[in-house]
Amino acid sequence: MRYKLLVILVFFFILATQNIVCGQNAPKQQLLIAEAENGYTSQPNESLKIALLLLKGANSTNEKVRLNFLVYKIYSVLGDYTNAANYLFAASNYLDRNSFYQNAKINIEKSALLQAIYLLKQSNNYLDRARSDRKSIKDIDSIAEIKSKLIFEELALLMHKKEYKEAQKIIRKNNTSSLLQKGIANKKRFLLISSEVNIGLGNFAANTSNLEQLKALISPKDKYFEIQVWNIIARNYFYQRDYSKAIESAVKAEKLIVQMDNIYLLETTIETLVLSYLALNKEQEYKLLNTKLLTLQNEIDTKEEETINTIYNLINAEYVKSYSLKKSAFNNKLYISIGFFLLSFFVFGLFVYKKYLYKKRLTEIVSYLEFPNQTMLIKSEEIDTANKKNSIPAETEQLILNKLKKFETTKKFTNKDISLAVLAGQFETNTKYLSEIINRHYIINFNTYINTLRINYIVEKLKNEPNFCNYKISYLAELCGFSSHSSFATVFKSIIGISPIKFIDLLKNETNDTSITPSENE
């Protein structure tokens, strides 16, 4: 295949340098375009080279639209959304307002592109434009095609919002309709979306038929689809807690992604592998891939910021062009410029507000993570002990305090049988002395003192050993010495200020591991 594409490229280059045009060149150019369109999901890099060369020599408006659209699709497969946006908007620039069918297609693709970078409100705006364009289309087949694409993007938008029940309603409504299942491409996408919705709703068993059909549709000519299939199979196994099969499927996807170099697909695959290795307690594999995942996520954040800036500029340019065609007077142009400025300011404000909320959340996390060892065990400097009668000899009191400090460095306080009497016996003193010293120096009673040590102990475990964030709350309670889940949760909230589940969520968000939740939360 590579050799064939190389020959085609050389052939086209020779034709271009010889300036062969019109009748002789046109059919061959159309063949090359068709070749690139057929191979972009399997050999995107080779198809991209052909498409870009063809675009340089394109003369007609239709060819420019078709080739810009093709280049957009290729860059989308490669996960390069910045370049994808540039070529998609370039394609729309060649269309006039009366090209309703083509405008509808491009507006739907703009919606899909904006969804990929989570600009969901703007994505819905382009879907509204596509719906408006569809009303003006006359051809019955074109109407059906646009309607089908609209339904798919509506479903995709609902899944980005995690509104799986609403998505399921649409799927059930159209399940028997040929509208969504007509043609192999539609069938593939319908099955992918249905499988995603089932996973979102936890209907893993219902996915059996879908996943078998998806595997049957895998073809060497569509590696992009094959990657999606193995990724979704891996996720389905993961949520069924069949982690070994999840790893096996994700590895198949990973091998194919190497040929695509799509970091978004790779992030999904690596995330499944990381969580699966973590669940299997394969520490070495987990650490290696988790480091890779964090690097990928940083790279994606940078790319998304670049894409967002590019898209806002393109949208603004699109608005300017649209209004410029209607308004020629200077004053009207000024009003439009002011409108765009306000829009940009508003968008910027939303971006800043998002950053503010993020930083606020981090600040909240840090405030809990800065909870130092035994901060609740603070000696009082405000109580005037001189006015209190101290019946304990100073030497005995200091000896007991030293034993308490040593006791705090052990894990004996996690023993469920620990009591004032037991500890007094260990310290070779009486309960009255021990209780009085704890009350005077820590300003708390014995039970609060023990509970505070236990909560401090489990907080340190959660902070420093990420695996603990995946354990059941009941296990954490037992580990630090509580007899029940409920008493642990109550004491934890009274000391830390938030529930243990909320605290664990904050820790996970801080480490970009939000997809893992405590087992008792599932």
Side-chain angles (χ1 to χ4, degrees):
M1 184 63 181
R2 291 176 180 269
Y3 176 77
K4 183 180 178 181
L5 289 174
L6 182 60
V7 172
I8 292 172
L9 281 172
V10 173
F11 180 67
F12 173 73
F13 181 76
I14 293 172
L15 291 177
T17 55
Q18 291 177 347
N19 200 27
I20 300 175
V21 293
C22 301
Q24 294 180 348
N25 194 42
K28 294 173 182 176
Q29 181 141 325
Q30 293 303 313
L31 287 173
L32 288 170
I33 294 175
E35 181 75 17
E37 288 175 334
N38 290 332
Y40 80 91
T41 57
S42 180
Q43 300 290 343
N45 291 308
E46 286 78 3
S47 294
L48 181 62
K49 293 174 185 177
I50 294 176
L52 291 174
L53 279 172
L54 290 169
L55 187 57
K56 288 181 181 178
N59 294 315
S60 69
T61 299
N62 286 337
E63 278 187 354
K64 290 177 181 178
V65 172
R66 184 179 177 185
L67 285 166
N68 273 292
F69 189 78
L70 173 58
V71 174
Y72 149 73
K73 296 293 286 184
I74 297 171
Y75 275 125
S76 294
V77 167
L78 293 170
D80 186 346
Y81 295 130
T82 300
N83 276 317
N86 283 320
Y87 283 94
L88 181 60
F89 278 78
S92 66
N93 288 337
Y94 290 107
L95 297 175
D96 59 58
R97 291 176 60 83
N98 296 321
S99 301
F100 300 112
Y101 168 69
Q102 288 181 308
N103 275 315
K105 280 182 64 176
I106 287 180
N107 282 327
I108 288 171
E109 291 299 330
K110 287 178 179 177
S111 174
L113 181 61
L114 290 166
Q115 285 181 40
I117 54 174
Y118 292 94
L119 295 177
L120 303 185
K121 182 177 180 180
Q122 293 83 347
S123 171
N124 192 58
N125 290 340
Y126 279 106
L127 280 183
D128 287 338
R129 292 190 191 185
R131 293 185 188 102
S132 178
D133 290 329
R134 185 176 69 87
K135 294 176 182 178
S136 301
I137 299 173
K138 305 300 181 184
D139 180 71
I140 295 176
D141 290 336
S142 297
I143 292 173
E145 179 186 349
I146 296 303
K147 185 178 180 181
S148 177
K149 289 180 180 294
L150 280 169
I151 293 174
F152 280 132
E153 288 312 316
E154 288 168 358
L155 285 169
L157 192 58
L158 287 171
M159 287 193 295
H160 274 94
K161 295 178 180 178
K162 301 189 183 303
E163 296 177 5
Y164 299 112
K165 289 186 178 179
E166 289 300 315
Q168 187 182 53
K169 290 179 184 177
I170 295 176
I171 289 173
R172 287 176 175 173
K173 181 179 178 181
N174 295 278
N175 190 40
T176 57
S177 171
S178 62
L179 181 67
L180 295 183
Q181 298 191 12
K182 184 179 180 180
I184 191 69
N186 277 4
K187 186 175 182 180
K188 286 179 177 180
R189 192 167 186 194
F190 182 80
L191 289 169
L192 284 171
I193 289 176
S194 297
S195 300
E196 287 282 0
V197 170
N198 281 333
I199 289 175
L201 293 173
N203 300 330
F204 309 118
N207 255 351
T208 303
S209 175
N210 283 349
L211 298 180
E212 287 301 317
Q213 291 182 68
L214 283 170
K215 284 195 285 187
L217 291 170
I218 289 176
S219 165
K221 295 182 179 180
D222 195 348
K223 290 180 182 176
Y224 184 70
F225 170 73
E226 186 176 358
I227 292 169
Q228 292 176 300
V229 171
W230 289 121
N231 268 337
I232 203 166
I233 290 173
R235 290 178 58 237
N236 197 73
Y237 277 133
F238 174 79
Y239 286 110
Q240 286 183 300
R241 301 189 180 186
D242 192 341
Y243 304 119
S244 296
K245 287 186 178 180
I247 292 171
E248 181 182 343
S249 300
V251 167
K252 290 180 180 179
E254 185 182 17
K255 290 178 180 178
L256 291 167
I257 293 171
V258 173
Q259 304 170 42
M260 291 285 184
D261 197 28
N262 185 321
I263 62 173
Y264 291 87
L265 290 175
L266 186 59
E267 181 198 25
T268 300
T269 305
I270 297 299
E271 187 176 40
T272 302
L273 287 170
V274 166
L275 298 180
S276 298
Y277 284 131
L278 181 63
L280 293 173
N281 291 321
K282 294 189 176 182
E283 186 176 355
Q284 185 176 355
E285 292 88 344
Y286 164 76
K287 288 183 177 179
L288 181 65
L289 283 178
N290 192 51
T291 300
K292 185 176 181 179
L293 178 62
L294 293 175
T295 302
L296 272 175
Q297 288 172 339
N298 288 334
E299 186 179 350
I300 286 172
D301 287 342
T302 302
K303 281 182 174 289
E304 283 185 347
E305 186 173 345
E306 179 186 359
T307 302
I308 288 171
N309 291 334
T310 298
I311 286 179
Y312 280 144
N313 289 334
L314 290 169
I315 291 174
N316 283 338
E318 187 179 67
Y319 282 146
V320 170
K321 180 183 177 181
S322 174
Y323 280 100
S324 294
L325 292 172
K326 297 179 180 179
K327 307 293 181 180
S328 58
F330 174 80
N331 287 338
N332 286 336
K333 288 183 179 180
L334 179 62
Y335 294 145
I336 293 169
S337 299
I338 293 173
F340 285 130
F341 172 79
L342 291 175
L343 175 64
S344 299
F345 182 81
F346 176 71
V347 170
F348 177 75
L350 287 177
F351 181 78
V352 171
Y353 182 64
K354 181 181 176 182
K355 289 290 185 182
Y356 163 75
L357 290 179
Y358 180 72
K359 290 181 179 179
K360 182 180 179 182
R361 187 180 66 180
L362 289 182
T363 301
E364 184 181 15
I365 295 170
V366 170
S367 70
Y368 294 115
L369 295 183
E370 289 178 346
F371 181 61
N373 231 356
Q374 304 168 18
T375 52
M376 301 303 293
L377 310 180
I378 304 172
K379 292 185 179 182
S380 172
E381 296 178 356
E382 300 174 357
I383 303 296
D384 185 6
T385 57
N387 295 327
K388 290 190 174 183
K389 183 178 180 180
N390 186 0
S391 60
I392 306 173
E395 183 179 352
T396 301
E397 182 172 359
Q398 188 58 49
L399 181 62
I400 293 174
L401 279 173
N402 290 338
K403 288 182 178 180
L404 281 171
K405 289 189 175 295
K406 185 176 180 181
F407 170 76
E408 292 160 12
T409 62
T410 69
K411 293 196 298 182
K412 292 181 179 179
F413 48 80
T414 62
N415 189 333
K416 292 180 181 179
D417 298 324
I418 195 73
S419 66
L420 182 62
V422 169
L423 191 59
Q426 292 177 4
F427 286 3
E428 297 179 347
T429 185
N430 58 61
T431 57
K432 180 181 179 182
Y433 278 13
L434 181 57
S435 176
E436 183 177 337
I437 289 172
I438 290 174
N439 288 335
R440 186 187 313 144
H441 289 271
Y442 296 93
I443 321 303
I444 51 178
N445 61 32
F446 175 81
N447 287 336
T448 304
Y449 169 75
I450 293 297
N451 285 339
T452 302
L453 289 174
R454 289 170 173 174
I455 297 302
N456 278 340
Y457 169 76
I458 210 65
V459 164
E460 288 300 309
K461 286 289 186 183
L462 290 168
K463 284 165 51 179
N464 299 319
E465 299 181 39
N467 279 347
F468 275 75
C469 291
N470 304 300
Y471 294 152
K472 293 182 178 181
I473 299 301
S474 58
Y475 174 77
L476 297 178
E478 184 179 358
L479 186 67
C480 64
F482 287 89
S483 58
S484 70
H485 168 283
S486 58
S487 61
F488 169 72
T490 301
V491 173
F492 190 102
K493 186 171 184 179
S494 69
I495 293 175
I496 303 301
I498 56 175
S499 69
I501 290 175
K502 176 64 176 174
F503 185 82
I504 290 170
D505 285 341
L506 289 172
L507 283 174
K508 289 178 179 177
N509 288 335
E510 169 66 5
T511 56
N512 292 325
D513 203 9
T514 56
S515 58
I516 308 174
T517 55
S519 299
E520 292 190 0
N521 238 0
E522 294 178 355

